[in-house]
Amino acid sequence: MLIAENLTYAIKQHTLLRGVNFSIRPGEFIGVLGANGAGKSTLLRLLSGEHTPTCGHVSLAGRDLRSYGDPELATRRATMAQQHQLSSDFTVKEVVLMGRYPYFESVPRAEDLAAADETIRLCGLEMLADRSALALSGGERQRVHLARVLAQLWNRANALLLLDEPVSAMDIRFQHQTLAIARSLANRGWMVVAVLHDMNLASQYTDRLFLMKNGRKLLDGTPIEVLTTRNIFSIFAIDAQVNINPATLRPMVIPGVINMDAMIPADQG
């Protein structure tokens, strides 16, 4: 189990996160929603150990996160960040094998190669395995890095997987496939936390939604509990209709249309 208590994070005089409590059990998939600047990515960096909280603490499996050394922590949690910088011309398979670095020093073992092959296949990257990762589209690169973080935790029990906007560049098919993979891993006992922007995707695949506003937790509950017209307006300042999808019995959000009049000044020349 992962438990975060009273998390506050400040840079100089600017507080990005204030007094946030968060928990997740093995087998849960939690979606984190909020407007830009709400503190979602900051929360994930604190849960991963990338940032140290100004106040509060995070524990994983009953131990303070700070008590883990980097190699041990890397075998228990993996993070897929928003931005992925590749400075060298690695193939897709080489990038995925980077997820296995905590397990070998110089030469990958048979189990490392098998983990990479299995996650490449799971993410539908077989035809791209020998291609340069630099030559791929944004959505394809996201799938490569998804395979990399899955390889990092492959065959680990009760692993913690943190995904920061994992489907932002993907087409609709791979958005659903990615969240279906996350859902399946949670069903197998992983703890999955994903920052998402699409409320309908979040509603369809997650167990709970954690809604943030101005660096604080606003709501935490099942999709049907928190995705209401009032809550959506409070978070995103947009009117929306919320229906129940008869196929999934999950909330389905239909945003209202925003009308804008963009006036262009006449040429004064």
Side-chain angles (χ1 to χ4, degrees), residues 2 17 20-24 29-45 47 82 161-166 179 192-199 201-203 205-213 215-221 223 226-227 235-236:
L2 178 128
L17 210 70
V20 172
N21 296 311
F22 180 93
S23 66
I24 183 171
F29 181 8
I30 296 180
V32 181
L33 300 177
N36 293 338
K40 305 181 298 297
S41 295
T42 300
L43 174 63
L44 251 64
R45 293 186 184 109
L47 298 181
Q82 286 186 41
L161 179 63
L162 303 170
L163 306 171
D164 195 354
E165 298 189 28
L179 296 183
V192 183
V193 184
V195 170
L196 299 167
H197 280 294
D198 189 314
M199 289 178 280
L201 284 173
S203 173
Y205 289 98
T206 65
D207 298 302
R208 285 165 49 207
L209 294 177
F210 192 86
L211 272 59
M212 300 185 66
K213 183 176 183 179
R216 296 178 181 269
K217 178 185 78 172
L218 187 68
L219 294 160
D220 181 359
V226 302
L227 288 182
I235 291 286
F236 297 105

Side-chain angles (χ1 to χ4, degrees), residues 199 229 232-233 236-242 253-259:
M199 289 178 280
T229 297
I232 292 168
F233 187 85
F236 297 105
I238 188 171
D239 292 316
Q241 178 181 339
V242 181
V253 178
I254 305 172
V257 173
I258 296 178
N259 295 310

Side-chain angles (χ1 to χ4, degrees), residues 132-173:
S132 166
L134 295 177
L136 303 181
S137 70
E140 289 169 333
R141 287 192 198 181
Q142 279 192 312
R143 289 159 53 204
V144 171
H145 287 288
L146 175 65
R148 173 181 56 80
V149 295
L150 296 184
Q152 181 179 333
L153 300 176
W154 207 239
N155 295 325
R156 301 291 297 184
N158 299 337
L160 173 64
L161 179 63
L162 303 170
L163 306 171
D164 195 354
E165 298 189 28
V167 300
S168 58
M170 295 182 187
D171 63 39
I172 188 169
R173 172 193 170 190

Side-chain angles (χ1 to χ4, degrees), residues 40-258:
K40 305 181 298 297
S41 295
T42 300
L43 174 63
L44 251 64
R45 293 186 184 109
L46 291 169
L47 298 181
S48 73
E50 179 183 346
H51 288 347
T52 300
T54 306
C55 180
H57 71 277
V58 181
S59 64
L60 177 62
R63 289 173 51 188
D64 192 295
L65 202 63
R66 293 170 294 185
S67 72
Y68 289 91
D70 289 341
E72 182 184 10
L73 187 58
T75 65
R76 301 189 69 118
R77 71 92 181 91
T79 304
M80 180 179 168
Q82 286 186 41
Q83 303 296 327
H84 315 285
Q85 299 297 327
L86 290 175
S87 57
S88 299
D89 193 16
F90 294 105
T91 67
V92 166
K93 185 164 185 178
E94 288 170 337
V95 173
V96 176
L97 267 173
M98 291 177 186
R100 300 299 299 176
Y101 282 176
Y103 303 93
F104 68 89
E105 293 186 1
S106 57
V107 179
R109 306 162 301 167
E111 50 263 50
D112 300 315
L113 295 170
D117 287 340
E118 289 171 14
T119 58
I120 284 172
R121 185 163 48 252
L122 180 64
C123 296
L125 296 166
E126 303 99 310
M127 300 298 293
L128 303 176
D130 297 322
R131 290 262 306 273
S132 166
L134 295 177
L136 303 181
S137 70
E140 289 169 333
R141 287 192 198 181
Q142 279 192 312
R143 289 159 53 204
V144 171
H145 287 288
L146 175 65
R148 173 181 56 80
V149 295
L150 296 184
Q152 181 179 333
L153 300 176
W154 207 239
N155 295 325
R156 301 291 297 184
N158 299 337
L160 173 64
L161 179 63
L162 303 170
L163 306 171
D164 195 354
E165 298 189 28
V167 300
S168 58
M170 295 182 187
D171 63 39
I172 188 169
R173 172 193 170 190
F174 288 111
Q175 287 179 346
H176 281 268
Q177 177 178 296
T178 294
L179 296 183
I181 290 170
R183 173 73 268 163
S184 176
L185 293 170
N187 291 342
R188 292 174 175 269
W190 284 25
M191 296 173 283
V192 183
V193 184
V195 170
L196 299 167
H197 280 294
D198 189 314
M199 289 178 280
N200 287 315
L201 284 173
S203 173
Q204 185 165 343
Y205 289 98
T206 65
D207 298 302
R208 285 165 49 207
L209 294 177
F210 192 86
L211 272 59
M212 300 185 66
K213 183 176 183 179
N214 298 330
R216 296 178 181 269
K217 178 185 78 172
L218 187 68
L219 294 160
D220 181 359
T222 65
I224 202 166
E225 289 173 332
V226 302
L227 288 182
T228 67
T229 297
R230 180 176 181 178
N231 292 340
I232 292 168
F233 187 85
S234 178
I235 291 286
F236 297 105
I238 188 171
D239 292 316
Q241 178 181 339
V242 181
N243 298 327
I244 299 300
N245 186 331
T248 63
L249 299 182
R250 298 278 186 128
M252 181 173 59
V253 178
I254 305 172
V257 173
I258 296 178

